[in-house]
Amino acid sequence: MNRSQRLAAAGAATLVLALGACSGGSSHSPLQKSAGAEDPSTTSTTAALVAPLTGLPAASGTNLDRPALIVKVDSTPKAFPLQQGLDKADVVVVEQVEGGMIRFAVVFHSKDATVGPVRSARTSDLAIAPNFDDPLFTCSGGNSGVMHQISSSAALVDSCVSASGMASIFERNKHGSSLYRYFLPTAEVYSARAGSGGTPEALFDFRTPGAPAAGELVDGARINYKGIQVAYEWNGTGWARSQNGRAQFMAGGGPRIAPANVVILSTPYKFSGYVDVTGAPSPEAVLVGSGSAWFLSGGKAMKGSWSRTSGGKFTFTDPSGQPAELTPGQTWLELAPGASASSLVLPPTTTTTAGAATTHP
């Protein structure tokens, strides 16, 4: 399903892809019908509204005219087990910060959640925001130079702790006094910024539900952010995410993070001109230009490309230059460091049965 159809209906990183079978057949479990998808036999004559950032039917009463909301969330080893609300996001963008650590720009639109731990902004966020059409942007603060750019940016609506009307929301939703103390209900941010921001349009192209994914069957992928090692493993319906060998679950017995899609961009980084409180240089993702990309969807991986002009939105293409199509659902966008991230596709694991080589499922 392409964008027009949906709207009408409503230094370097190492990436490793492990092949699960030859591309001629499938050993993976078939994709299950997405939660919330309607049974055609019971669908009314009124077409369901489709959430532009996920390609999924929106729940009854969902306000798809509201802006996207970007919330900065920490994912250092100490913050990792405290995370909440990421499973409800439409899109999650992963960016490198100081010391080889990573931080998330968590994008909400079709659902609400309590999300955290909310942390500070980075200059990379100024290039991420335009992809979501004048979104609300929430953070717990940042370097004074960065915060000046955030507050004066025309590409977002400043909804950080220092912005007008926001301090009381942060104070009301503070837990303790550590760096990881803020957990914000997205509904409260939306209420405080009623009437602000723009309505997001689609960022990705999605396949018609049930259509097969393009690419080669894979077991998963690994990404090296120096201080953080990220792994994804196909579980039959999504890509189960881990960091430094630890499975990513939401706090308090919450669900495992396993998005429908993972898009991995080979991303150059430069010095932003700012340092953190320890004096460590803060990197900035260079998101103008073009580069290679991996698209993980439906148990398969396809190598393609990304491009973006200044102030514009990402364009994602397959090897033939056509729009890269994803599975309707949540997408994680990994900004993997390296101007030309090295990639290695491993051959299928084989075993010998009765003297014949067979592909390991």
Side-chain angles (χ1 to χ4, degrees):
M1 181 186 299
N2 60 34
R3 297 181 187 181
S4 61
Q5 288 173 321
R6 285 198 312 281
L7 294 175
T14 301
L15 166 66
V16 182
L17 301 175
L19 288 177
C22 296
S23 59
S26 174
S27 62
H28 294 305
S29 301
L31 288 176
Q32 304 299 309
K33 184 173 72 173
S34 300
E38 296 186 53
D39 184 335
S41 65
T42 61
T43 303
S44 68
T45 55
T46 301
L49 293 177
V50 174
L53 298 180
T54 67
L56 291 174
S60 177
T62 301
N63 178 14
L64 295 181
D65 291 328
R66 71 181 186 175
L69 165 61
I70 301 176
V71 184
K72 291 307 299 294
V73 172
D74 203 345
S75 199
T76 57
K78 289 184 178 180
F80 185 71
L82 307 176
Q83 292 169 346
Q84 296 181 28
L86 306 185
D87 56 305
K88 302 297 185 184
D90 292 44
V91 179
V92 178
V93 184
V94 184
E95 59 189 270
Q96 185 159 48
V97 293
E98 305 78 28
M101 296 292 105
I102 58 176
R103 190 155 293 181
F104 300 153
V106 185
V107 185
F108 293 90
H109 181 241
S110 62
K111 296 179 182 178
D112 283 303
T114 294
V115 60
V118 180
R119 292 298 308 280
S120 54
R122 296 293 185 272
T123 54
S124 296
D125 301 323
L126 295 161
I128 292 170
N131 291 285
F132 301 100
D133 304 288
D134 197 17
L136 311 183
F137 180 84
T138 300
C139 69
S140 65
N143 178 289
S144 61
V146 176
M147 293 312 299
H148 174 72
Q149 292 186 62
I150 294 293
S151 64
S152 60
S153 174
L156 55 83
V157 178
D158 183 5
S159 305
C160 295
V161 64
S162 57
S164 175
M166 291 302 300
S168 61
I169 296 177
F170 276 80
E171 186 65 25
R172 185 165 57 248
N173 294 286
K174 181 171 67 174
H175 302 274
S177 58
S178 76
L179 292 173
Y180 317 110
R181 62 189 179 275
Y182 296 122
F183 293 82
L184 302 187
T186 57
E188 290 192 28
V189 180
Y190 274 114
S191 179
R193 290 292 184 263
S196 299
T199 301
E201 296 183 357
L203 179 60
F204 307 105
D205 287 270
F206 296 101
R207 298 188 307 280
T208 301
E216 295 184 90
L217 290 167
V218 297
D219 290 331
R222 297 194 299 273
I223 308 165
N224 177 17
Y225 284 97
K226 295 185 178 179
I228 299 289
Q229 311 300 316
V230 173
Y232 288 95
E233 182 179 358
W234 177 247
N235 66 10
T237 58
W239 301 94
R241 192 177 189 276
S242 302
Q243 281 188 201
N244 291 347
R246 187 172 183 176
Q248 187 169 13
F249 286 90
M250 295 296 90
R256 177 81 184 268
I257 295 300
N261 310 291
V262 181
V263 177
I264 305 170
L265 306 188
S266 174
T267 307
Y269 281 81
K270 66 179 183 180
F271 175 45
S272 67
Y274 300 103
V275 297
D276 69 6
V277 293
T278 70
S282 180
E284 178 180 319
V286 179
L287 299 179
V288 172
S290 60
S292 62
W294 282 100
F295 303 96
L296 278 64
S297 187
K300 296 180 179 180
M302 175 181 69
K303 193 171 185 179
S305 303
W306 68 269
S307 63
R308 180 177 172 268
T309 59
S310 179
K313 301 176 72 166
F314 284 119
T315 297
F316 304 110
T317 53
D318 67 15
S320 69
Q322 296 301 305
E325 294 188 331
L326 304 180
T327 303
Q330 186 186 72
T331 300
W332 280 58
L333 185 60
E334 299 265 359
L335 305 181
S340 56
S342 60
S343 302
L344 175 65
V345 178
L346 301 180
T349 302
T350 59
T351 58
T352 302
T353 302
T358 61
T359 301
H360 183 69

